């Protein structure tokens, strides 16, 4: 636990039970004005006062013991983030509860988010501001990079709008400013000069100027000391190209973009990211959360997409197997959705990523791990059951400290039919990306060659 006047406690996500915090410790640290005789009541009120914050991060607090021996611990979910907590003694804000990533070597998950692109954004908690500031939340440069990468795509397209301006013509045409003409027409040399309002399609319109304003703010953030040097290097070439594309544009202040139905998709996307960046200073100190299981799933999906494409597999990410029927049961599953399906000729590979600790607890006899893995296998086999190909393999991916692959074959005793499953451990470390690509390429090639022999 990190000692700080601003942090109540810091816990990894996917923790079954955190290190218990004893009532005497909490009284000394956070409930200094409370009555020692009723510490159990303070902890019960503490849970009640902060229930919305716990719900936001999907945290389950648990009390153990009684009276002076009572302790509180927390079960965390797949979310990382931070929320502000209130004292049950005074009702005032005390410190922040921090949930950090698990299975990540240096906790610098920002590189992962940058690699995955614009699809994953934090959600914010509408409540008290954090007292720990922005140290434990996604940094502003991440939003800046998302905006710049989207703008890079936008400037390659022709985005024009009607620009209104006044021009002097030698003949009356369109909307003439007759009042201005009347003032000047006494002079013979102005009698044939007609100030006319024109609407002309132009790329140098006011919304592009607003985008340039946000672009300049994003550049300032990226060039600041808050941004790591390795991040600056990855975006340096993009900034040079954008500067060359936009140097003729003026910069027009904007605090929020107006998103219109008529906007083309890339314009809408860029405006939405721009609004998120502009709002970052407002939400900078708010509680936030990120679903890290989604980050791992997208990471695995993107890696297999890249590897499968090089080898020649056809990819089907997040394909849905729909369920239909006359049942009105609300709890029935309406569709199944594997993370990725790879197909080549008469071979199929079904891939599912699970952000769980199985490959980090190889010798554990935990019943929870056992049942979780059973559910994962059943889910993977259900995906494979929809495939007509005889040659099919299921792949379960778990976080791991190193690249690993374990093969399991399941068969029945009726007709000797078999199902093959690979358990693959993938490190959550962007620096090992090239090694991961090579490792998975070899696995897929070996699988394909095995299937066609």
């Amino acid at each position: 636990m990190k000692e700080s006047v601003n942090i109540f406690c810091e816990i990894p996500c996917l923790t079954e039970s955190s290190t218990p915090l004893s009532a005497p410790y909490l009284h000394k640290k956070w409930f200094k004005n409370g009555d020692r005789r009723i510490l159990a009541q303070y902890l019960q009120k503490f849970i009640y006062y902060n229930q919305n914050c716990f719900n936001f991060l999907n945290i389950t607090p648990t009390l153990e013991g009684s009276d002076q021996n009572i302790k509180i611990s927390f079960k965390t979910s797949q979310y990382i983030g931070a929320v502000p907590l209130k004292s049950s003694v005074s009702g005032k804000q005390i410190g922040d509860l921090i949930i950090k990533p698990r299975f990540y070597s240096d906790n610098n998950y920002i590189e992962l988010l940058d690699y995955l692109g614009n699809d994953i954004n934090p959600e914010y908690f509408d409540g008290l501001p954090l007292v720990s500031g922005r140290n434990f939340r996604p940094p502003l440069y991440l939003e800046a990079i998302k905006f710049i990468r989207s703008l890079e795509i936008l400037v390659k397209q022709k985005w024009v709008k009607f620009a209104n301006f006044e021009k002097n013509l030698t003949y009356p045409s369109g909307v003439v400013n007759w009042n201005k003409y009347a003032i000047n027409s006494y002079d013979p040399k102005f009698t044939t000069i007609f100030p006319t309002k024109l609407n002309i399609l132009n790329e140098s319109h006011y919304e592009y100027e607003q985008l340039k304003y946000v672009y300049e703010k994003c550049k300032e953030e990226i060039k600041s000391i808050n941004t790591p040097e390795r991040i600056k290097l990855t975006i340096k070439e993009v900034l040079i190209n954008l500067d060359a594309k936009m140097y003729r544009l003026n910069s027009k202040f904007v605090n929020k973009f107006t998103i219109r139905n008529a906007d083309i998709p890339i314009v809408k996307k860029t405006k939405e990211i721009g609004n998120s960046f502009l709002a970052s200073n407002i939400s900078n100190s708010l509680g936030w959360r990120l679903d890290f299981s989604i980050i791992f799933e997208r990471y695995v999906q993107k890696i297999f997409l890249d590897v499968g494409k090089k080898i020649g597999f056809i990819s089907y990410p997040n394909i849905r197997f729909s369920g239909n029927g006359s049942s009105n049961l609300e709890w029935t599953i309406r569709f199944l959705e594997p993370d990725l399906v790879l197909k080549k000729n008469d071979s199929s590979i079904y891939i599912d990523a699970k952000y769980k600790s199985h490959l980090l607890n190889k010798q554990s006899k935990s019943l929870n791990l056992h049942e979780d893995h059973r559910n994962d296998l059943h889910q993977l086999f259900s995906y494979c059951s929809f495939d007509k190909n005889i040659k099919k393999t299921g792949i379960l991916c778990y976080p791991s400290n190193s690249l690993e692959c374990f093969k399991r074959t399941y068969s029945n005793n009726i007709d000797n039919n078999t199902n093959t499953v690979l358990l693959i451990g993938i490190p959550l470390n962007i620096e090992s990306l090239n090694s991961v690509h090579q490792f998975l390429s070899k696995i897929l090639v070996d699988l394909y060659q095995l299937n066609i022999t």
Side-chain angles (χ1 to χ4, degrees):
M1 182 177 62
K2 187 176 289 187
E3 292 292 334
S4 170
V5 294
N6 293 330
I7 301 174
F8 179 81
C9 68
E10 185 176 344
I11 312 169
C13 65
L14 297 181
T15 297
E16 283 294 317
S17 181
S18 66
T19 302
L21 303 176
S22 66
Y25 165 80
L26 292 172
H27 180 266
K28 180 181 178 180
K29 181 76 174 177
W30 303 108
F31 307 148
K32 295 180 181 179
N33 297 325
D35 190 335
R36 289 177 177 270
R37 296 169 296 178
I38 55 173
L39 290 178
Q41 294 183 29
Y42 287 140
L43 283 181
Q44 290 170 350
K45 287 183 179 179
F46 174 75
I47 293 174
Y48 175 75
Y49 286 177
N50 295 287
Q51 193 61 58
N52 288 338
C53 296
F54 295 144
N55 290 342
F56 179 71
L57 285 178
N58 197 17
I59 293 171
T60 304
T62 303
L63 296 178
E64 303 174 11
S66 60
D67 300 329
Q68 296 296 313
N69 296 320
I70 195 167
K71 299 178 180 179
I72 186 170
S73 60
F74 301 95
K75 178 182 178 181
T76 59
S77 64
Q78 74 276 21
Y79 289 106
I80 64 169
V83 286
L85 300 179
K86 292 183 288 188
S87 168
S88 56
V89 177
S90 63
K92 295 181 180 180
Q93 185 174 359
I94 45 176
D96 297 336
L97 177 60
I98 309 297
I99 308 299
K100 61 183 182 180
R102 183 182 283 273
F103 318 135
Y104 199 76
S105 56
D106 57 3
N107 286 340
N108 190 8
Y109 59 92
I110 303 305
E111 292 179 341
L112 271 178
L113 298 181
D114 181 46
Y115 172 70
L116 295 176
N118 303 325
D119 296 334
I120 301 175
N121 294 300
E123 300 174 72
Y124 296 105
F125 180 70
D126 187 13
L128 293 170
L130 298 172
V131 291
S132 59
R134 60 186 294 177
N135 297 325
F136 296 97
R137 52 153 293 152
L140 189 57
Y141 67 75
L142 178 62
E143 293 295 325
I145 289 173
K146 289 180 181 179
F147 178 82
I148 286 171
R149 293 202 183 280
S150 184
L151 184 62
E152 180 188 18
I153 299 172
L154 173 56
V155 297
K156 295 177 182 178
Q157 303 190 25
K158 194 172 183 63
W159 181 36
V160 295
K161 296 178 74 71
F162 279 106
N164 299 315
F165 61 94
E166 188 175 279
K167 185 177 181 180
N168 290 329
L169 301 179
T170 58
Y171 54 89
S173 176
V175 182
V176 178
N177 188 339
W178 292 111
N179 290 332
K180 190 174 182 179
Y181 176 80
I183 293 173
N184 296 327
S185 60
Y186 73 92
D187 189 336
K189 66 182 179 181
F190 290 117
T191 56
T192 57
I193 301 298
F194 299 90
T196 307
K197 292 182 179 179
L198 300 175
N199 292 326
I200 296 179
L201 283 173
N202 189 4
E203 286 192 16
S204 302
H205 49 80
Y206 78 97
E207 286 196 305
Y208 241 139
E209 293 174 345
Q210 290 177 337
L211 289 177
K212 184 173 182 181
Y213 170 80
V214 179
Y215 168 65
E216 290 175 345
K217 293 297 180 183
C218 289
K219 275 204 307 182
E220 290 176 10
E221 180 62 28
I222 289 174
K223 292 180 179 180
S224 70
I225 59 173
N226 299 323
T227 306
E229 287 299 322
R230 60 181 178 273
I231 300 294
K232 293 179 181 178
L233 290 175
T234 60
I235 204 75
K236 181 179 179 180
E237 193 68 30
V238 179
L239 294 179
I240 293 173
N241 292 335
L242 284 175
D243 285 342
K245 290 272 188 180
M246 306 186 73
Y247 80 97
R248 292 181 179 176
L249 285 173
N250 295 320
S251 177
K252 187 178 181 65
F253 171 81
V254 60
N255 55 18
K256 185 176 182 180
F257 289 105
T258 301
I259 300 175
R260 300 177 177 83
N261 291 331
D263 289 336
I264 59 177
I266 186 59
V267 172
K268 285 183 180 180
K269 183 178 181 180
T270 307
K271 286 182 176 180
E272 288 169 357
I273 299 171
N275 284 340
S276 178
F277 175 82
L278 292 170
S280 292
N281 288 331
I282 300 173
S283 60
N284 187 46
S285 58
L286 294 181
W288 62 277
R289 71 180 185 185
L290 272 173
D291 189 337
F292 216 80
S293 66
I294 294 179
I295 294 175
F296 181 65
E297 288 170 8
R298 299 281 178 84
Y299 181 60
V300 170
Q301 185 184 67
K302 183 171 176 59
I303 290 173
F304 272 99
L305 278 169
D306 294 342
V307 171
K309 184 178 180 180
K310 292 179 182 177
I311 299 175
F313 281 91
I314 299 174
S315 303
Y316 301 91
N318 298 114
I319 188 171
R320 288 191 173 187
F321 305 141
S322 301
N324 299 302
S326 58
S327 173
N328 291 323
L329 299 174
E330 290 298 324
W331 44 264
T332 56
I333 297 176
R334 289 172 171 76
F335 61 87
L336 298 174
E337 186 177 339
D339 292 332
L340 183 64
V341 180
L342 298 177
K343 286 182 174 287
K344 187 170 184 179
N345 297 342
D346 60 348
S347 300
S348 302
I349 301 174
Y350 287 80
I351 300 159
D352 211 25
K354 299 295 182 184
Y355 186 61
K356 298 177 180 178
S357 62
H358 290 65
L359 291 185
L360 300 174
N361 294 281
K362 296 185 182 71
Q363 305 306 317
S364 173
K365 296 182 180 180
S366 166
L367 184 60
N368 287 337
L369 287 178
H370 180 80
E371 290 304 313
D372 269 354
H373 184 59
R374 181 197 298 274
N375 292 335
D376 295 342
L377 282 177
H378 288 174
Q379 186 178 4
L380 192 61
F381 289 152
S382 69
Y383 297 150
C384 294
S385 68
F386 289 92
D387 203 302
K388 294 181 180 180
N389 286 337
I390 297 176
K391 303 167 185 176
K392 51 194 174 186
T393 304
I395 294 179
L396 274 176
C397 296
Y398 292 119
S400 178
N401 288 327
S402 60
L403 286 167
E404 307 177 88
C405 182
F406 304 91
K407 182 180 178 181
R408 302 283 291 178
T409 300
Y410 297 86
S411 58
N412 66 44
N413 295 325
I414 301 173
D415 55 11
N416 293 323
N417 190 25
T418 62
N419 278 316
T420 301
V421 174
L422 299 183
L423 305 180
I424 296 181
I426 296 180
L428 272 170
N429 187 344
I430 202 71
E431 294 177 357
S432 64
L433 192 57
N434 289 334
S435 299
V436 174
H437 275 235
Q438 294 173 9
F439 183 76
L440 296 181
S441 294
K442 185 177 185 307
I443 289 175
L444 293 187
V445 168
D446 289 347
L447 269 178
Y448 182 63
Q449 289 175 344
L450 177 64
N451 283 336
I452 63 175
T453 55

